Amino acid sequence: MDEVAPGVFVATAELYLTTTTVVAGADGGCLVIDPAVTVAELDALASWLSARGLRPVAGWSTHPHWDHVLWSSSLGDVVRYATRRAVEVAARELPGLVSGMEEAAPGHDLALFARLAPLAAPEIPWRGPRATVLAHDAHAPGHGAVFLPDTGVLVAGDMCSDTEIPLLGMEAAETDPFGRYRHGLGVLADVPGVRVVVPGHGHVGDAAEFRRRVAADFGYLDAVQAGRDVADERLAAAAPWLLAEHDRQRALGY
């Protein structure tokens, strides 16, 4: 765990550099965002929290992909929120989510997997620092980033990564995946006072790095949509699966 701002901690898993964010609140309670990613790592998270006198009182899932809807009994029986659309998508696509989890990080408790409660309010209700939800449909339907205005921390979900290109997450009926992603990226770019960005996959960055990543993401979208060659450092050392996603996005013909 690294303390990236007062009372805000981030752990980074080996698999996909997946991040877990913990926000300390009142009376030892804490908000846990996207706990990841193996069974052992979730148990280690619970042990780390216990050793520091912290206990989860609420959870947040940034979007309905298998690696962001995990939980463990060792973290306690607490409400785990997501946007209303994310909850609907997770319920509809549950078999596929389970398959993805069991292939990459098996052994999670299926009774707790993707058990989410819809949140229609603009902030997560809990006794801790304000946690504002930034809902959009980039990368996945119902994506909900979280901004902590007291510390300037933006928990961006699967966006603003230094290791992954923008992944459009196209739905079958999607007619404008680039437009949808641009809108979501614009929602994040317009947040005032971002001092720390926490991507769902990758490394934590400061305010300048956040702006650099936003610009890089818009630049990637511009190049792919125009059919130009893409000069993006994230592709230089990309894993085969990421290169395949890049090729799939280029093939859209925009």
Side-chain angles (χ1 to χ4, degrees), residues 178 224-227 247-254:
F178 285 94
V224 172
Q225 196 166 12
D247 289 340
R248 182 173 72 99
Q249 293 174 167
R250 291 184 62 191
L252 288 176
Y254 285 80

Side-chain angles (χ1 to χ4, degrees), residues 147 151-154 188-189 191-197 205-208 210-211:
F147 181 58
T151 52
V153 176
L154 174 64
L188 302 187
V191 175
V194 174
R195 298 196 289 274
V196 178
V197 60
D206 60 13
F210 170 60
R211 292 299 167 190

